[in-house]
Every structure is written in structure tokens, then in C-alpha cells.
Amino acid sequence: MAHLTKTQAQARADQVRAFRAEQTLLSEQGLLQLPSDTAAIREYHDNLLHELQQAQDVDLSEGARHLSLGMQIVSFLGASALAASLFFLFYQYWGYFATATQVIILIAAPLVSLAVACWVQRLDSSGYYAKLAGLVSFVSWVLNIVMLGSIFNITPSPNAFAVFALYGFLLAYLLQVRLLLAAAIICSFIFIGAQFGTWMGSYWIYVGESPEHFLLPTLFFFALPLWLDQTRLHGFAAIYQLLSVVVFFIAVLILANWSGGSYLPWSPTVIEGCYQMVGFVASALLVIYGLRTGAANLMLAGNVFFALFLYTKFFDWWWDWLPKYLFFLVIGLTAILALMVFNRLRSTQQKAQSTHQAAGGGV
């Protein structure tokens, strides 16, 4: 079972549990009479669940699933607290050390924390402690770069974010930590956007004033899981695509309402109108893509941003001259219309699934 990802292993365990629950329910209602040789099936399932639990630390009950979620939250809070402790420890006693000692500490901190994270990963089957150590190592690396720059009076540069991103990607793939992957992607967005800004003649620290800098990087990172297989890494493809979608649509939403951040040589009305159209079309395409690929998070993101673009247009068109009760009535009716459309799509999908299952049963 080592070839299964954690998501696949958890889905297989849930399938076995659902099979047993339905089997028990049908037996209690007298609709299913089990033969006497079902012990072999139960033994097979017991061994399968044991292998899945040992290989991928899957949850074998609802209680265990809830506890796993709690452990993820606690590990994140613990890592944040340890990182804050490390940060304030540096600043509390930093002035007491000589420059050579400061450099040695800064170089040693991420290396030692990385070694600890790798060592803990070998001992910890659940991975929670290794993830915690990995987050601390990433913070140590960031402190390393920032404080070395301060010691040697190095001019701030967007290249620091490239270094942060590289170490974040290294830790994320080494320890399989989705939070570190998200941090690395965000650092990559900042670095690429700042580089675009520098090439266009602006100072890199004002990267947020030109949202167009982020459009190409988001498209690249969205397509990356389609080129490089991420199925063996739990949740990595979703992080790539969801973060790219959020940054892309925020940039488009800003440009659709503020043409001053665009390089396009057109009038403000034309620029904002073009980006409004891009937002509507892209969010609708994202909903269709999410439906076709079964990516519920992408479909939800597409719905949310389509609604945001729609409601901002409603505000531009009608807020100043429509009575407020009529304005909100229009919004409510629009929401009802959207529900009808989604319900229609849902019914169509369910009919298609039923037809497919019937055809499979006939075979």
C-alpha cells in the first residue's frame, strides 16, 4: 500500500468502512443473508485497514478523523508559537553576541532545524512533528537571510523572496508539508511580480501597485500540476491551483475596478470593462473545469468570484439611483436564479451518473 497517496489510502479505508456499515444495515433489515464464509472477507479488510493505517496513518473512525483535524490545527499553532519564540529570542539577546558569533548562529539555525526535521520524520509515522520542525526550519531560514542582510547592510532585494521560495519548496517536498508549499508559492509570486516591476522601471517594493505583474505567474503555477504529476503528494496539486486562482482573480478584480494599475494604453473605461469581461469568463470557465475534473474547491472558487464580479457590477450600475430595497431585491432574485441554474446542473450530473451506473450494471 506504500504506492497510494494519503488521500487515496483514506478513500480506500472509507470505502471499506462504508461497505461494512451498509452490510450490517441490510442484514439487520433482513434484506441480506450473509454466507458462513464471510470471515475471509472480514479478515482481508482487517489486514487492509491495518496496512493502510501503518503506511499512511489513515483515520479508521469519525472520532479519529476529528482528532486528526485537531492535531493539524494544534501543530500549526505550535509551529507558529515556536517560530515566534525563536524570533523574539534572536532580538532579545542579539546585541550581546559578536558579529562572528551572530553569523555562525544564523547559518547553523536553519541547518540544525532541517536536520532535526529529517530525523523526526524518520521516527514520526504521523508526520505532525516533522511538519512542525519543518515550519520552524523555514522561519529560521527567513531570519537567517533577513538578519544577515541587516548585519552586512545589504540593500533589500526581491531576490530574497526567491531564496525563501527555493527553501520552502525544498522543505515542502522533503517533508510533504502543504503549508510550506503555500508559503513557497506566495514568495514566488512576490519575487516574479517584483522582477516584472523592476523591468518596467518601478521600485520592486511597490509590486502591489501593478496587479498585472501577477497574472502570468498565476497561470504558470495553475498549469504546473497538469505538467508535473503531483498525485503522490497529498493535496499539493490543489494548493498550486487554488492559490493561483485566488491571486489571479484578486488581481483581475482590482483591475476591473481600478484601471490605474494597468499598463494597457487605453481609456480607464475600456480597461476596466475588459478586465470585468475577463473576470466573468474566467470564473465561468473555472466552474466548468471544476465540474469536469471533480475539483470541488476550484468550482467553489469560481462561483465565489463570479458572484463578486456580478455584484460589483450591480453596485456600479444601480446603487446610486435604485432604492435600496429594490437594489437588494435584485440581488436576492439573482441569487435565486443562480440556485436554479446550479440545481439544473446538479440534476443533469446525477442523471448522467445514474445512466452510467445502469449501463455498467447491465454489462
Side-chain angles (χ1 to χ4, degrees):
M1 292 302 167
H3 62 282
L4 295 178
T5 65
K6 187 168 184 178
T7 302
Q8 294 169 336
Q10 186 63 61
R12 186 74 176 95
D14 293 340
Q15 187 179 35
V16 172
R17 291 174 52 227
F19 170 80
R20 287 182 169 181
E22 185 66 17
Q23 189 182 59
T24 302
L25 180 62
L26 293 176
S27 299
E28 291 175 352
Q29 294 179 354
L31 300 175
L32 177 66
Q33 293 183 355
L34 298 176
S36 57
D37 58 349
T38 56
I41 298 177
R42 176 164 290 275
E43 182 180 359
Y44 165 74
H45 281 159
D46 288 339
N47 293 333
L48 175 63
L49 292 175
H50 178 73
E51 291 178 14
L52 291 173
Q53 206 278 331
Q54 292 295 319
Q56 294 291 350
D57 192 37
V58 299
D59 299 318
L60 302 183
S61 66
E62 287 301 317
R65 188 189 295 271
H66 296 155
L67 285 173
S68 293
L69 178 60
M71 291 173 67
Q72 292 177 14
I73 296 172
V74 169
S75 65
F76 171 72
L77 293 176
S80 302
L82 288 175
S85 174
L86 182 65
F87 175 82
F88 287 111
L89 178 65
F90 271 51
Y91 274 91
Q92 180 74 25
Y93 299 103
W94 201 239
Y96 296 103
F97 301 121
T99 301
T101 306
Q102 290 177 347
V103 172
I104 292 173
I105 293 174
L106 288 174
I107 295 175
L111 296 177
V112 172
S113 57
L114 175 61
V116 170
C118 294
W119 175 69
V120 171
Q121 187 186 32
R122 295 182 179 180
L123 302 178
D124 175 32
S125 60
S126 67
Y128 293 111
Y129 299 103
K131 293 174 182 177
L132 190 151
L135 290 170
V136 173
S137 181
F138 181 74
V139 173
S140 300
W141 180 257
V142 173
L143 282 174
N144 182 350
I145 303 301
V146 172
M147 299 191 74
L148 281 176
S150 177
I151 290 173
F152 296 104
N153 198 24
I154 300 174
T155 303
S157 166
N159 296 331
F161 288 97
V163 178
F164 300 158
L166 287 174
Y167 194 66
F169 281 122
L170 172 65
L171 287 174
Y173 280 90
L174 184 63
L175 305 174
Q176 298 189 19
V177 184
R178 287 170 290 177
L179 184 61
L180 287 174
L181 178 66
I185 294 173
I186 292 172
C187 289
S188 299
F189 286 152
I190 296 173
F191 168 69
I192 298 173
Q195 285 296 110
F196 278 140
T198 302
W199 295 335
M200 297 302 293
S202 63
Y203 188 43
W204 71 269
I205 202 169
Y206 300 114
V207 58
E209 294 185 358
S210 300
E212 286 176 336
H213 295 161
F214 299 103
L215 298 181
L216 287 178
T218 56
L219 295 176
F220 171 77
F221 279 103
F222 183 88
L224 193 61
L226 305 179
W227 300 332
L228 301 177
D229 186 20
Q230 305 286 319
T231 54
R232 296 180 64 85
L233 299 162
H234 175 53
F236 274 35
I239 293 293
Y240 274 111
Q241 295 189 325
L242 191 58
L243 261 181
S244 300
V245 162
V246 171
V247 175
F248 175 84
F249 280 110
I250 288 177
V252 173
L253 187 62
I254 293 172
L255 291 166
N257 295 277
W258 177 59
S259 59
S262 175
Y263 290 107
L264 296 176
W266 303 331
S267 67
T269 303
V270 173
I271 293 173
E272 292 176 4
C274 288
Y275 277 110
Q276 287 164 7
M277 186 61 65
V278 168
F280 281 119
V281 173
S283 56
L285 290 176
L286 184 63
V287 172
I288 296 172
Y289 176 80
L291 283 171
R292 290 185 177 274
T293 59
N297 51 1
L298 296 181
M299 186 175 62
L300 177 61
N303 288 330
V304 168
F305 282 105
F306 187 88
L308 283 175
F309 281 103
L310 184 63
Y311 290 152
T312 53
K313 286 308 297 176
F314 284 173
F315 185 86
D316 290 340
W317 289 338
W318 298 322
W319 179 257
D320 290 333
W321 63 274
L322 272 183
K324 300 303 178 281
Y325 72 89
L326 191 56
F327 176 80
F328 288 107
L329 176 63
V330 171
I331 290 180
L333 292 176
T334 305
I336 294 174
L337 177 62
L339 284 175
M340 294 173 63
V341 172
F342 289 140
N343 189 45
R344 180 68 177 175
L345 290 172
R346 179 173 174 267
S347 300
T348 303
Q349 272 206 329
Q350 288 179 336
K351 288 179 182 178
Q353 183 68 21
S354 300
T355 303
H356 177 73
Q357 289 178 349
V363 174

